[in-house]
Amino acid sequence: MLDMELIRKDREAVATALAKRLDPAEVNRALDDIQRLDQERRALIMEIDAERQRRKAEARAYAEAKRSGTTPEPVAPEAERKQLAELESQLDEVQSRLRGTMSELPNLPADDVVAGGKEANRVLRTFGEPPAVEKVRDHVELSKALGLVDHERGVKLGGSGFWMYTGLGARLEWALVNWLIEQNIQAGYEFLLPPHLLLDSAGFAAGQFPKFYDDVYHLDKQSAPRGQFLLPTAETAILGAFQDEILETAKLPLKAFAYTPCYRREAAGSHSDERGTVRGHQFNKVEIFQFTLPEQAGAALEAMVGHVEGLVEKLGLHFQTSLLAAGDSSAAMKKTLDVEVWMPSTGKYKEVSSVSWGGDYQARRAAIRYREPGGKQTRFVHTLNGSALATSRLFPAILEQFQQPDGSVVVPEVLRDKLGADRLTPVR
């Protein structure tokens, strides 16, 4: 969530930043509610503290009178004593409402992130040139001709939005996953294999709940009374694993990555650029994550983007990197850069990685802190995450960019040893 102290001290700056994502009138209504609840909370805390001090003084006076043999002062009437419990109940209610209102606000976009949606995204750099492909065939047609993906049986098994890799297609998918794991280990990230079922607290910590609560698959309350859901991205799991912890300052930045399938309720699109494995309810992804000191975050973001770009470049794919506008990036992130591969069949670029800096927004929700060396005070860490990479997007990009006139597809050099083939040929 946002820093309450910042809202108190510089509401105008907070409102200006939030207006990049939300209607200004909506922003002001929310901030009005927050400041009113904050004032109520602080007033109640003062009342409660005063009542507790009065009771302590009363208890001390009573004890002193007993020791000295004098008559103790009469205690407060029972009706007055119940006031403390009532005040505490009021405080709980106000704090719950304040937390709920605060939790619905998005993160403050970074200064260089502009307002707007996709139309305001800005391409920062482009790598290579679009491959010259005659008579382009899309990845769905290619995967069928090459015997790599069985879409019909995937639908038979899971329904719309599912597919099944087969033969060399399954091996290519697994080669990509294994290669990405190796590359991220070499880059200094610790490999994690987290549970796929997470508690609702992890979804809240990541900033996905409550706003996107309905976008994931939940277990029914009878079988999961604490609330559990299938993770939509390993980002949620890595962050959630460190909830309520104070990290060792000397070990920051803490770099971790995980491979998981990702489960999302969003439907596969019928539009040409969302067909096949580009969008579905289950897909594989390798996710990198960093916990850093605030002053380390800028360099970490630059390094993570460079690392992801290097992965796509090693695969030999043509791609671009874009800085997203506020309205097109995750609500929990201050800044997001997308790495987007070229899809010849649509003449468009498709995101294979979003690398994002969350500032202390997620850390506040998850209570993840660090302690200054030699100090007692704790501060919130900064979090960063990025896909490295989403294989269901790489797979079709490889097929389309490396397709040959004879119907075959050249395998990226870095994957040939793992796949045991340098070319995919049509099934006869």
Side-chain angles (χ1 to χ4, degrees):
M1 291 182 282
L2 302 183
D3 183 356
M4 190 67 236
E5 191 63 30
L6 179 61
I7 295 175
R8 293 188 196 118
K9 288 182 176 179
D10 199 348
R11 169 178 166 148
E12 186 176 348
V14 173
T16 299
L18 288 175
K20 291 181 179 181
R21 283 191 159 126
L22 303 172
D23 177 79
E26 181 184 349
V27 169
N28 283 315
R29 281 194 297 272
L31 292 179
D32 284 344
D33 287 344
I34 286 168
Q35 290 191 301
R36 176 179 52 77
L37 290 167
D38 181 48
Q39 288 169 1
E40 287 182 30
R41 183 184 70 87
R42 297 170 80 181
L44 284 165
I45 288 172
M46 289 179 64
E47 282 191 70
I48 290 169
D49 286 346
E51 176 63 15
R52 285 174 176 163
Q53 290 301 319
R54 186 184 68 77
R55 291 186 179 208
K56 286 181 181 178
E58 182 183 84
R60 285 195 297 268
Y62 185 86
E64 180 60 33
K66 293 285 285 184
R67 280 194 298 271
S68 63
T70 59
T71 303
E73 291 291 327
V75 297
E78 183 64 22
E80 189 175 334
R81 290 190 162 276
K82 290 180 180 177
Q83 185 184 11
L84 181 58
E86 292 169 0
L87 288 171
E88 289 173 338
S89 177
Q90 289 176 38
L91 178 61
D92 288 343
E93 181 187 350
V94 169
Q95 288 188 146
S96 177
R97 287 161 55 199
L98 177 59
R99 182 176 176 83
T101 305
M102 289 280 284
S103 71
E104 292 176 359
L105 285 179
N107 203 345
L108 304 181
D111 292 342
D112 59 343
V113 173
V114 300
K118 291 182 182 294
E119 74 289 344
N121 293 347
R122 179 164 57 94
V123 176
L124 300 180
R125 46 192 173 268
T126 303
F127 294 80
E129 297 293 332
V133 181
E134 295 182 10
K135 297 181 180 178
V136 175
R137 304 167 74 188
D138 73 20
H139 57 280
V140 177
E141 183 182 353
L142 286 164
S143 64
K144 185 173 182 178
L146 297 168
L148 307 177
V149 181
D150 193 326
H151 294 282
E152 290 76 15
R153 288 193 172 96
V155 172
K156 182 191 294 185
L157 285 169
S160 177
F162 292 90
W163 58 84
M164 182 169 67
Y165 294 105
T166 57
L168 276 176
R171 289 166 58 186
L172 175 59
E173 173 74 1
W174 210 240
L176 276 167
V177 169
N178 280 319
W179 180 73
L180 292 170
I181 288 171
E182 290 173 0
Q183 293 294 304
N184 289 323
I185 291 172
Q186 290 175 19
Y189 290 84
E190 182 182 3
F191 188 18
L192 307 176
L193 284 174
H196 297 180
L197 275 173
L198 306 180
L199 294 172
D200 283 357
S201 57
F204 177 86
Q208 291 150 2
F209 297 169
K211 185 173 182 180
F212 300 106
Y213 186 85
D214 293 332
D215 290 353
V216 301
Y217 291 100
H218 295 271
L219 270 66
D220 65 90
K221 293 295 182 182
Q222 185 174 354
S223 57
R226 293 180 64 189
Q228 283 179 297
F229 64 101
L230 282 167
L231 82 171
T233 167
E235 169 201 342
T236 318
I238 299 173
L239 176 78
F242 292 87
Q243 288 176 88
D244 304 311
E245 293 189 21
I246 299 175
L247 306 180
E248 291 185 41
T249 306
K251 293 185 178 180
L252 298 177
L254 191 160
K255 302 165 64 177
F257 82 97
Y259 156 71
T260 66
C262 302
Y263 308 92
R264 300 183 185 179
R265 293 179 66 89
E266 59 189 51
S270 58
H271 197 270
S272 60
D273 63 351
E274 303 237 314
R275 297 176 64 231
T277 66
V278 170
R279 186 180 297 276
H281 296 306
Q282 177 186 327
F283 58 93
N284 292 319
K285 183 157 68 75
V286 180
E287 184 83 5
I288 55 176
F289 202 100
Q290 288 200 36
F291 300 91
T292 74
L293 299 173
E295 58 269 25
Q296 296 171 335
L301 179 63
E302 185 176 336
M304 290 172 73
V305 173
H307 173 57
V308 169
E309 290 174 336
L311 294 175
V312 185
E313 199 166 14
K314 286 176 184 177
L315 289 168
L317 294 168
H318 167 58
F319 66 99
Q320 67 181 21
T321 301
S322 299
L323 174 62
L324 300 193
D328 194 34
S329 57
S330 166
M333 297 298 133
K334 291 181 71 67
K335 184 175 182 177
T336 297
L337 290 93
D338 273 6
V339 175
E340 305 157 334
V341 293
W342 175 250
M343 301 295 290
S345 66
T346 62
K348 298 178 182 178
Y349 291 90
K350 202 69 181 173
E351 172 255 318
V352 291
S353 175
S354 286
V355 183
S356 301
W357 166 41
D360 63 6
Y361 184 88
Q362 291 178 316
R364 287 179 180 277
R365 299 170 78 98
I368 304 174
R369 296 149 290 159
Y370 70 96
R371 183 174 283 112
E372 295 279 10
K376 293 183 178 180
Q377 286 290 104
T378 59
R379 296 178 62 193
F380 293 106
V381 298
H382 280 211
T383 60
L384 303 99
N385 69 85
S387 314
L389 295 155
T391 57
S392 60
R393 300 278 178 89
L394 286 177
F395 194 105
I398 288 170
L399 296 186
E400 292 199 11
Q401 289 200 33
F402 297 140
Q403 62 182 295
Q404 303 298 306
D406 64 357
S408 66
V409 171
V410 173
V411 176
E413 188 173 348
V414 295
L415 301 178
R416 291 174 187 173
D417 286 346
K418 286 182 169 49
L419 188 63
D422 59 5
R423 186 179 291 259
L424 306 171
T425 56
V427 177
R428 302 298 180 188

